[in-house]
Amino acid sequence: MRIEILCTGDELLTGLTLDSNGAFLQTCLLERLGLRVSRSTVVGDERGELVGALREAAARAQVLVVSGGLGPTADDLTVACAAQAAGLPLAYSADIFQSIEARAQRLGFRLTEAAKKQAWIPQGARYVLNRVGSAPMVHLRMASCEVFLLPGVPREFRAFVEGALLGWLEECLLPSTPPLLPSPSPPAEGRMFRKLRRLQCMGLPESLIDEAMAPIAAAFPAVRVGFRVRFPAVEVKLLCEAGTVEALAQLEGGVVAAARKALGVAVFGEGEEGLGEGLVDLLLERGQTVGVAESCTGGQVAAELTARPGASRCMLGSAVAYTAKAKRLWVGLSEEALGVHGEVSAETTRLLAQGVRERLETDWGLAITGYAGGGRVASPPPPPEEQAGLFFIACMGPRGVLREARVFWPGARKEVQRMAAAQALNLLRLCLLEAGEG
């Protein structure tokens, strides 16, 4: 099955917006259905260019997914251009309009005349109403190509991909349940089945991960092993391919198990799972709690830990103790300790971890101090070569200080903060794993 993506919008051509929708769709197709995209095209908001791009892609592909240009504004041209490319008139849908009108009433804003434009779709086209926005997903056929027009707003695009679109494609390939949209043809015979698995790693550089994975790649020749730096983590990509669903399941199970064994505790998650999400799951599983005191990261550690629903059952609180005064008032550091050890030091970080653990009465206390750079210089200042990028982490558990770290990571301020937050979360993860083994 040849699948193409057409992303529309001048903002994509000017660099003001990155094409996250195309990347999301490609990952979903590989991970869920083992399908690859043959070509991805970007075109601006110009009628002639868009009509031409639609016709060219539809002539090559069996499935064309179009992102963007379905909204109410003057530069939203996709639906009209698709109708022109297919030689179809536009037809009004009262059902779509009622959905748009109901959404406007729920949100309490006035429905403009321009918004009604979204209720006009190519005559005979099917549609799926939008549950998180206004414009529907539109499905029409151009020659022998199934064309899907999706809103460009990422959360709306993703909702349609994970719902109607993947359901339709899955039915075409492996019919088992009624499709959300009518399927035009039976599944192709003799196809190869693919599955992409992605392991997220922290604590090892890309070169050492590559070294650890070399024997795995040799032992599983039917698996394409790849790597991608997703700062501050490294992603290991395992693209499995087999002739049957059963063989694919056996292959991916074997290679993932082997990769996890080779990489050990460096693996913190799979797919899009972040460090904080995995930590929340681990804390909830063990019935334990954590409190955080952070300075140079400005709340990023707490933000990561609270990204998953239910985090309040294990993440009891955070103090962004950015100044010496905040460290004294909120976490209980004494003026004497700050005078001796300074705002940024291993000793101060250890006292912060201990203080937040005691004040919140948690099982774990996690703290971080450092110099993110580009701003106020703490007292006493570090050596010039370590002015920006030096940070200290401490994790205090039921048995005292279990782990501490001193890290120097030179870079821009935001990069240093992201690395510092990730290192702090990873330190807590390692503490939990060690405590569990003990």
Side-chain angles (χ1 to χ4, degrees), residues 8-317:
T8 73
D10 287 343
E11 68 278 6
L12 298 175
L13 292 177
T14 58
L16 292 174
T17 302
L18 297 178
D19 175 26
S20 61
N21 287 347
F24 175 78
L25 177 59
Q26 292 175 59
T27 300
C28 279
L29 290 174
L30 266 178
E31 290 187 335
R32 310 278 184 88
L33 303 179
L35 295 172
R36 278 183 161 182
V37 171
S38 301
R39 183 180 295 194
S40 180
T41 306
V42 177
V43 64
D45 298 317
E46 200 281 316
R47 186 177 293 272
E49 291 285 339
L50 186 50
V51 171
L54 284 162
R55 286 174 176 164
E56 291 170 12
R60 290 187 302 260
Q62 293 170 282
V63 175
L64 173 62
V65 181
V66 184
S67 164
L70 271 66
T73 58
D75 59 349
D76 289 315
L77 306 171
T78 298
V79 173
C81 289
Q84 182 179 339
L88 298 169
L90 289 172
Y92 175 76
S93 168
D95 188 31
I96 294 175
F97 176 74
Q98 289 171 5
S99 173
I100 296 170
E101 187 177 41
R103 179 175 183 269
Q105 291 174 352
R106 287 196 306 271
L107 296 177
F109 61 78
R110 180 176 59 86
L111 191 65
T112 66
E113 284 297 317
K116 299 176 183 178
K117 163 186 172 183
Q118 298 167 104
W120 290 82
I121 63 174
Q123 190 174 66
R126 303 181 181 93
Y127 60 87
V128 177
L129 296 177
N130 195 330
R131 302 302 180 191
V132 295
S134 56
M137 181 180 87
V138 180
H139 174 205
L140 68 151
R141 180 173 289 189
M142 292 177 58
S144 59
C145 180
E146 302 295 328
V147 181
F148 296 88
L149 313 178
L150 279 66
V153 179
R155 72 188 189 104
E156 298 178 34
F157 180 88
R158 295 183 179 204
F160 277 128
V161 167
E162 293 179 323
L165 182 61
L166 288 184
W168 184 89
L169 288 170
E170 189 170 24
E171 175 62 22
C172 290
L173 298 169
L174 299 169
S176 56
T177 58
L180 293 172
L181 294 170
S183 173
S185 59
E189 297 294 330
R191 68 179 290 264
M192 293 298 290
F193 295 87
R194 300 183 185 89
K195 187 69 176 291
L196 176 67
R197 299 288 292 271
R198 296 180 295 146
L199 302 180
Q200 305 300 331
C201 303
M202 187 75 190
L204 287 178
E206 191 179 15
S207 59
L208 292 183
I209 292 175
D210 175 67
E211 182 180 75
M213 288 298 299
I216 310 300
F220 292 87
V223 177
R224 183 177 300 178
V225 179
F227 309 91
R228 178 172 62 143
V229 175
R230 299 185 68 190
F231 181 84
V234 176
E235 180 178 271
V236 177
K237 299 177 292 183
L238 304 169
L239 180 57
C240 310
E241 186 176 83
T244 66
V245 174
E246 294 75 17
L248 178 65
Q250 184 175 4
L251 177 63
E252 66 170 302
V255 73
V256 168
R260 283 184 171 274
K261 183 177 181 181
L263 297 171
V265 296
V267 179
F268 67 79
E270 188 167 342
E272 292 296 318
E273 184 178 34
L275 266 168
E277 294 170 311
L279 270 170
V280 167
D281 289 342
L282 194 54
L283 286 163
L284 291 175
E285 178 186 314
R286 299 187 178 181
Q288 294 183 324
T289 56
V290 65
V292 178
E294 51 185 313
S295 61
C296 62
T297 45
Q300 291 189 33
V301 175
E304 287 290 329
L305 282 171
T306 54
R308 174 159 299 210
S312 60
R313 288 182 286 155
C314 61
M315 166 59 174
L316 299 195

Side-chain angles (χ1 to χ4, degrees), residues 45 48 55 233 264 321 330 349 377:
D45 298 317
R55 286 174 176 164
W330 295 348
T349 310
V377 177

